[in-house]
Amino acid sequence: MRWESEMSLAEQVRWRIGGPASRFGRVGDLVELRDALSGLEGGPLLVLGWGANLLVADRGVRAAVLVLDGAFDWIRINDSCLEAGAGAGLPALVGEARRAGAEGWCFLEAVPGTIGGGLRMNAGSADTGLWDRVIEVEAIAADGNSHRVTRKEVDASYRHVDLPADWVFTAARFELTPGDPEAVGAAHFERRRRKVTTQVYDLPSCGSVWKNPGPGSGSAWELVDAVGMRGASSGGARVAERHANFIANEGNARADDVMRLMRETRRRVLDQFGIALEPEIRFWGFDQEELASVGAAA
Ligand SMILES: Cc1cc2nc3c(=O)[nH]c(=O)nc-3n(C[C@H](O)[C@H](O)[C@H](O)COP(=O)(O)OP(=O)(O)OC[C@H]3O[C@@H](n4cnc5c(N)ncnc54)[C@H](O)[C@@H]3O)c2cc1C
């Protein structure tokens, strides 16, 4: 594996926004991953999936950014489970489950990203996340140690999993529950139809910007809408008319444009409803003050 310097991340992330990574590399298998980790010597490491949930700062990020490629992109299916490398796509995994007529996978229809990103984000719907289907996950920590965890050993909740930030997920095994293929196909079709007609798939975005606040507080999109931010723009970024929890890049949006919209939305929702919105997206390359201004923990 060869490190590249000052690699533009805008081309690697779904929002098409952001500056360069000081070091960038693609690892093709576990040997290359271990080599790359040992070469870090304690320096910061970030793992990039499809960048479908990332806002990268305009100034870029001073860290080694790794993509799991090649031998990490595999999916196997048998009678009792689905297995996948962390570099495989969530859409491919969901497609396998659907074709097998397996129940309980439609919550992930039309969610872009990799298995690794999906595990880190516990991607899914309001009430179901990828970890709900996990049997076992394999990871390597930045110190090179291997780990294997089962679902029961892990605290996973809405868009969160309580595992060390320096773990690189490498593979996972998921449940496969046989169902009625026709009903399964129909459920997947309906879920996809609903998502692509109500959310933003024709412009670069990162999906939902804000987490839904707790029960009784409404959905994040309802709050954004209620404070008049639907359709608001800053530079090339706009709060989508179609779905107020999405911010679309309409052309040459910068991370600063997105941050401005987020700050204003959060301020208004706090003032009018007393609710402190928390971002669902992840941030790379921002300082503490910038993160705090949009309610993101470091
Ligand atoms: C149109 C659209 C619709 C969306 N709908 C949904 C939805 O319905 N539900 C939902 O939950 N999300 C949704 N999202 C957000 C996104 O699809 C998910 O968060 C997805 O899991 C991101 O995966 P990724 O591979 O792109 O991760 P990235 O954005 O690349 O990374 C996200 C985080 O995961 C970490 N990561 C990536 N790979 C690994 C790895 N191998 N090991 C350890 N950490 C890793 C990264 O470091 C980062 O912290 C949507 C996004 C878009 C653009």
Side-chain angles (χ1 to χ4, degrees):
M1 197 270 303
R2 208 169 44 83
W3 289 108
E4 293 180 51
S5 305
E6 301 305 322
M7 170 78 158
S8 165
L9 289 178
E11 285 137 43
Q12 313 290 329
V13 299
R14 180 100 179 192
W15 235 333
R16 298 283 177 264
I17 291 174
S22 51
R23 284 205 289 170
F24 179 91
R26 292 179 180 277
V27 287
D29 56 30
L30 281 171
V31 175
E32 285 190 5
L33 174 59
R34 285 185 184 286
D35 273 1
L37 293 176
S38 67
L40 292 176
E41 292 167 348
L45 166 72
L46 295 167
V47 188
L48 176 65
W50 288 3
N53 211 38
L54 285 177
L55 182 63
V56 179
D58 295 317
R59 68 177 82 95
V61 51
R62 302 292 93 191
V65 172
L66 272 184
V67 172
L68 305 190
D69 221 341
F72 289 104
D73 183 359
W74 58 273
I75 296 182
R76 263 195 307 267
I77 185 162
N78 63 40
D79 289 346
S80 61
C81 69
L82 267 166
E83 295 173 274
L90 293 170
L93 185 78
V94 174
E96 286 290 345
R98 177 178 49 76
R99 281 188 292 279
E103 263 176 13
W105 281 94
C106 68
F107 73 98
L108 265 184
E109 267 295 339
V111 177
T114 59
I115 305 297
L119 289 169
R120 178 57 73 194
M121 298 309 306
N122 197 16
S125 60
D127 51 11
T128 310
L130 184 57
W131 279 90
D132 291 321
R133 299 290 171 269
V134 160
I135 298 172
E136 191 175 60
V137 166
E138 292 172 26
I140 298 188
D143 62 9
N145 285 327
S146 299
H147 298 270
R148 199 178 269 266
V149 287
T150 61
R151 171 65 186 94
K152 282 203 186 100
E153 292 167 319
V154 171
D155 178 12
S157 53
Y158 173 60
R159 300 299 92 83
H160 175 78
V161 60
D162 199 8
L163 285 172
D166 74 338
W167 279 25
V168 181
F169 300 119
T170 53
R173 201 145 53 85
F174 301 101
E175 294 166 1
L176 195 69
T177 308
D180 167 11
E182 210 168 302
V184 165
H188 279 250
F189 179 83
E190 178 51 22
R191 176 83 189 170
R192 168 168 289 271
R193 190 198 60 75
R194 198 146 38 88
K195 255 181 94 70
V196 299
T197 52
T198 60
Q199 301 185 355
V200 179
Y201 283 83
D202 53 347
L203 285 173
S205 84
C206 249
S208 295
V209 169
W210 304 103
K211 290 182 187 171
N212 287 320
S217 300
S219 302
W221 74 262
E222 289 171 318
L223 294 167
V224 178
D225 195 24
V227 299
M229 287 299 287
R230 186 192 287 266
S233 69
S234 170
R238 183 182 298 276
V239 178
E241 291 283 357
R242 193 184 305 160
H243 194 304
N245 201 14
F246 278 55
I247 295 178
N249 177 359
E250 295 191 320
N252 297 312
R254 295 171 57 77
D256 283 349
D257 298 330
V258 174
M259 293 295 271
R260 211 167 291 121
L261 287 172
M262 289 186 70
R263 272 195 299 276
E264 181 60 15
T265 301
R266 192 164 186 275
R267 185 189 67 72
R268 290 190 192 186
V269 171
L270 195 54
D271 284 356
Q272 293 184 36
F273 295 100
I275 294 170
L277 286 174
E278 267 182 53
E280 177 168 325
I281 58 170
R282 296 291 175 113
F283 301 84
W284 284 5
F286 295 89
D287 65 30
Q288 298 295 334
E289 204 179 324
E290 290 167 318
L291 292 173
S293 75
V294 293

